[in-house]
């Protein structure tokens, strides 16, 4: 059956289940049929199945708990990536349907903790996919548990298995996109402290996870960029090459979410200015001076510009200082007042 047809059947089954009484034996059959659709390679079908499971599991709790246990085991042992994702979709939907409390009551978090700390890479990858789906499905309801998984998420960035590392990137991106300002305030200090670690692997992991904050919701992003960008820029000249590379990639993440077309064009030059301020600050300032801006400068763009301007204002050369000051005066008319005010302490003597 084609994916659209399968998706249609799943939605139909979900609709039928809503009209059956809680004790109806047919509910269990529908549960198994929908759960079987989680094994498909089509993510649209998996998503449809997961959405149908949420209201269904409330009416057949015992069967749903059994299915949850089955999916947790399959998530760890299955080698096919798309089936792992299907299992994770199912797990997150059952958790949402039964209630957030079942994460602890049914040992879901403990099972995932054991999996991500396992020596088996399939288990570690499965746990990461589950975290991704729990964040995506539960949204901010999952926030209280993020601090519990943060350490293992950081370790996954340096995993020996490339598939686990790639999955960690995707998982963290989804988690970051769903964070509230309150949760960001809790985890940001933890990540910033990681930049002070003497062990380069710990520092690299913190940099990489900070880089995923480029995918925060726009409001959270604009609030936290003045803190994040300078900290990442500070480790661009770290003594370890892997930390340097991680910092460059992290900054590239932020350039990827820039909406200002002019700054997008200047992205590579600005990154050079950040990574090699001794030799590239003047070049970056000159490029900014020669650019005609016709669009407003958005918060991610502003966050990249400020460290370069700040460096320019501190240079001994009067010419460089003049260029930096001229750019500041131009920026006053090209940025939102609330965005620009955040940086005044850094650029006003």
């Amino acid at each position: 059956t084609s994916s659209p047809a399968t998706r249609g059947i799943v939605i139909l089954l979900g609709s039928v289940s809503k009209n059956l009484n809680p004790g109806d034996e047919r509910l269990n059959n529908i549960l198994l049929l929908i759960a079987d659709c989680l094994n498909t390679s089509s993510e649209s079908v998996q998503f449809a199945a997961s959405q149908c499971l949420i209201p269904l599991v409330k009416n057949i709790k015992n069967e749903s708990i059994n299915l949850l246990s089955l999916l947790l085991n399959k998530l760890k042992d299955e080698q096919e990536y798309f089936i792992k994702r299907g299992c994770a979709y199912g797990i997150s939907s059952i958790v949402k349907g039964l209630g957030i409390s079942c994460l602890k009551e049914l040992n879901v978090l403990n099972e995932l903790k054991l999996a991500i700390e396992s020596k088996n890479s399939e288990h570690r990858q499965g746990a990461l996919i589950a975290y991704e789906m729990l964040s995506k499905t539960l949204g901010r309801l999952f926030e209280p548990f993020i601090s519990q998984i943060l350490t293992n998420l950081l370790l996954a960035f340096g995993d020996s298995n490339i598939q686990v590392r790639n999955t960690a990137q995707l998982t963290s991106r989804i988690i970051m996109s769903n964070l509230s300002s309150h949760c960001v305030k809790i985890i940001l200090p933890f990540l910033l402290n990681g930049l002070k670690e003497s062990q380069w692997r710990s520092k690299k992991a913190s940099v990489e996870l900070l880089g995923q904050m480029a995918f925060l919701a726009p409001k959270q992003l604009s609030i936290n960029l003045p803190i994040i960008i300078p900290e990442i820029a500070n480790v661009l000249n770290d003594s370890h090459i892997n930390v340097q590379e991680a910092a460059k990639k992290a900054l590239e993440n932020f350039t990827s979410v820039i909406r200002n077309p002019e700054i997008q064009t200047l992205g590579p030059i600005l990154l050079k200015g950040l990574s090699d301020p001794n030799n590239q600050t003047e070049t970056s300032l000159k490029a900014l001076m020669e650019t005609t801006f016709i669009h407003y400068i958005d918060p991610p763009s502003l966050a990249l510009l400020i460290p370069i301007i700040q460096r320019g204002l501190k240079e001994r050369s009067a010419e460089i200082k003049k260029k930096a000051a001229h750019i500041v005066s131009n920026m006053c008319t090209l940025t939102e007042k609330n965005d620009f005010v955040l940086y005044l302490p850094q650029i006003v003597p």
Side-chain angles (χ1 to χ4, degrees), residues 221-276:
L221 185 64
S222 62
I223 293 171
N224 292 286
L225 274 175
I227 302 169
I228 298 169
I229 294 293
E231 293 289 346
I232 295 177
N234 285 339
V235 296
L236 280 167
N237 296 311
D238 191 85
S239 58
H240 201 286
I241 186 66
N242 288 347
V243 177
Q244 293 177 23
E245 290 299 319
K248 288 178 183 177
K249 288 180 181 178
L251 288 175
E252 285 171 4
N253 280 349
F254 287 100
T255 61
S256 72
V257 297
I258 286 173
R259 296 191 299 272
N260 182 285
E262 292 82 27
I263 299 296
Q264 277 183 337
T265 304
L266 294 173
I269 297 174
L270 297 177
L271 288 177
K272 286 181 181 178
L274 289 167
S275 59
D276 188 10

Side-chain angles (χ1 to χ4, degrees), residues 297-344:
I297 298 176
D298 56 314
S301 303
L302 193 58
L304 288 175
L305 295 179
I306 291 298
I308 297 171
I309 293 169
Q310 188 180 15
R311 174 66 186 233
L313 292 171
K314 292 179 179 179
E315 288 285 340
R316 291 184 178 181
S317 167
E319 187 64 28
I320 295 176
K321 285 182 178 178
K322 190 185 295 184
K323 287 178 181 177
H326 184 72
I327 292 168
V328 171
S329 67
N330 289 340
M331 282 170 51
C332 292
T333 60
L334 290 169
T335 60
E336 293 289 346
K337 178 182 175 182
N338 292 338
D339 294 333
F340 190 63
V341 165
L342 295 171
Y343 295 97
L344 286 179

Side-chain angles (χ1 to χ4, degrees), residues 128 131-136 139 142-143 146 149-150 153 168-180 183 187 209 212 215-216:
L128 288 167
Y131 290 145
E132 175 200 339
M133 292 304 172
L134 285 168
S135 177
K136 186 183 290 186
F142 189 59
E143 282 191 355
I146 289 175
I149 69 172
L150 203 55
L153 186 57
Q169 294 274 354
L170 178 59
T171 296
S172 59
R173 185 173 300 185
I174 296 299
I175 289 175
M176 292 301 169
S177 67
N178 287 309
L179 291 185
S180 67
C183 193
I187 69 171
L209 195 47
Q212 297 305 315
F215 304 98
L216 287 169

Side-chain angles (χ1 to χ4, degrees), residues 134-239:
L134 285 168
S135 177
K136 186 183 290 186
T137 303
L138 301 176
R140 293 184 179 177
L141 291 174
F142 189 59
E143 282 191 355
F145 307 100
I146 289 175
S147 59
Q148 299 177 31
I149 69 172
L150 203 55
T151 300
N152 283 324
L153 186 57
L154 283 170
L155 291 173
F157 275 94
D159 198 276
S160 58
N161 185 287
I162 188 170
Q163 291 179 329
V164 175
R165 295 199 300 272
N166 290 340
T167 304
Q169 294 274 354
L170 178 59
T171 296
S172 59
R173 185 173 300 185
I174 296 299
I175 289 175
M176 292 301 169
S177 67
N178 287 309
L179 291 185
S180 67
S181 57
H182 174 71
C183 193
V184 173
K185 287 178 183 177
I186 293 173
I187 69 171
L188 187 55
F190 177 83
L191 296 178
L192 294 177
N193 284 334
L195 300 182
K196 300 172 185 176
E197 289 280 346
S198 56
Q199 292 288 332
W200 70 266
R201 286 184 176 84
S202 300
K203 189 183 294 186
K204 177 175 177 284
S206 294
V207 170
E208 288 177 326
L209 195 47
L210 280 169
Q212 297 305 315
M213 284 193 162
F215 304 98
L216 287 169
K219 185 178 179 181
Q220 320 307 344
L221 185 64
S222 62
I223 293 171
N224 292 286
L225 274 175
I227 302 169
I228 298 169
I229 294 293
E231 293 289 346
I232 295 177
N234 285 339
V235 296
L236 280 167
N237 296 311
D238 191 85
S239 58

